[in-house]
Amino acid sequence: MNPHITRRQLLAGAGAMSALAMFPKLAFAQQGSATTAIYPGAWEEAYRSIVAEALREAHGIDLQMQPLFAVDQIAQARAARGNPSFDTFVLDPGPRVMAIENGLVDTFDASRLESSAYLEPGMADEHGVPVAAQFVGIAYNPNRFDTPPTDWADLFEEPYVSRLGLTGFQTTFGTVSIIEMAKAFGGSEENVEPFFKELQRILPHVATIGTPASMPSLFQQGQCDIMYTNTQTVGTLRARGIDIEFVRPASGVITFFTTMHIARGASEVVNAYKYIDTVLSTPVQQQLMQAPYFMAPVNSEVTLASDLPLSDMSEIAGMIQHDWSLINPRRAEWIERFNREVAS
């Protein structure tokens, strides 16, 4: 007996029973299921409450979710050897490159998506399609400073440095922010040495150093008043009543996409495309952008929230993006070095 198939069958069966219990009118319209890997936390909550219901209503498909971080999705798919336990990946740019290089994703056909008509040119490719944008810059408490910082280099000087919350390369937003800090001192995507040189100078003065996941709480508690983060975190904190503003650095806002892909060997490919198409649909993208999830859309038909750093999706093309094929080979070393230097 193949344990992988058994698990999927059990999950699909349980999901179908659950769906029929919640939506009895679908008893004769059930069109099977799709299984997706999904980030734990806000992503899982949002997709369970918005996307799963929309997929059921539009196509009669039950959405099964496996909460997994990106590295765990890749590890599971590699271990499965062509028989993955989920039909779709959801990945940030670094893991996306790893999944492609490891042959874990199937060739993607965007023409199977009705919603692809609402994407900017070039967003979808032969590997997958963006489902959410992220915008990264500087966040600060406007009550603590007479003037906001205007550039990445400002974070390394007073009055900002002594109120700065530092975090490392473990996340996509942390990595791209630090790369831009390195650029401000002469570095590049492949050379963050100027950042580490400045880091040694400011370490005795920074307000706090924490894990990426801890930074919103540290900011909320007032242990720091400046950090680098994305608009989703800013929106979440502001919704809690925290005084926080997003700064567009003079060098530009950083953007990257969270993408979806069909897993090579997926068993429910037709339903997986319908699932992705539902995620990209205008009503679903509009809902995901609202509180409490604040996921920036990629669908150009969505009426953009006023606190996003763009007024039209075409402006994304002018934002700062990074080449993760250059970053990935160096990232593990950067993570280890940052952790070693802040701990010493």
Side-chain angles (χ1 to χ4, degrees), residues 113-280:
L113 308 176
E114 293 182 7
S115 300
S116 64
Y118 306 129
L119 299 176
E120 291 295 307
M123 277 190 169
D125 61 18
E126 70 271 26
H127 304 298
V129 62
V131 294
Q134 296 210 33
F135 304 112
V136 179
I138 302 167
Y140 78 106
N141 182 338
N143 296 323
R144 298 301 300 268
F145 306 100
D146 292 333
T147 58
T150 59
D151 205 352
W152 293 106
D154 292 345
L155 305 187
F156 293 74
E157 305 296 340
E158 294 293 2
Y160 310 112
V161 67
S162 60
R163 299 305 309 152
L164 175 63
L166 271 178
T167 190
F169 292 89
Q170 299 97 322
T171 59
T172 303
F173 82 82
T175 298
V176 294
S177 296
I178 293 175
I179 287 173
E180 292 307 301
M181 294 177 205
K183 287 181 180 177
F185 295 102
S188 69
E189 277 177 313
E190 300 171 86
N191 174 25
V192 295
E193 192 62 33
F195 164 78
F196 280 114
K197 182 179 178 180
E198 293 296 321
L199 178 65
Q200 284 302 315
R201 180 177 66 81
I202 67 169
L203 269 179
H205 310 292
V206 299
T208 188
I209 302 169
T211 63
S214 70
M215 294 313 298
S217 294
L218 293 172
F219 191 97
Q220 183 173 349
Q221 295 162 10
Q223 297 189 43
C224 62
D225 293 304
I226 293 185
M227 61 180 176
Y228 30 100
T229 191
N230 57 21
T231 54
Q232 185 177 17
T233 298
V234 171
T236 300
L237 288 176
R238 187 178 290 144
R240 296 175 187 167
I242 307 302
D243 292 317
I244 186 169
E245 296 292 341
F246 182 82
V247 173
R248 309 177 190 209
S251 55
V253 174
I254 305 167
T255 190
F256 61 87
F257 298 112
T258 300
T259 51
M260 281 192 179
H261 310 267
I262 304 293
R264 180 156 294 173
S267 61
E268 300 290 348
V269 173
V270 172
N271 287 348
Y273 273 102
K274 290 179 179 176
Y275 157 61
I276 295 174
D277 205 23
T278 300
V279 173
L280 289 172

Side-chain angles (χ1 to χ4, degrees), residues 135 231-232 234-236 238 246 248 285-291 293-313 315 319:
F135 304 112
T231 54
Q232 185 177 17
V234 171
T236 300
R238 187 178 290 144
F246 182 82
R248 309 177 190 209
Q285 291 264 296
Q286 193 83 51
Q287 288 184 71
L288 291 172
M289 184 183 65
Q290 307 299 325
Y293 303 117
F294 300 104
M295 294 180 176
V298 293
N299 181 321
S300 59
E301 292 292 298
V302 171
T303 301
L304 296 174
S306 59
D307 55 354
L308 288 175
L310 73 173
S311 58
D312 186 276
M313 292 303 297
E315 296 173 27
M319 294 182 174

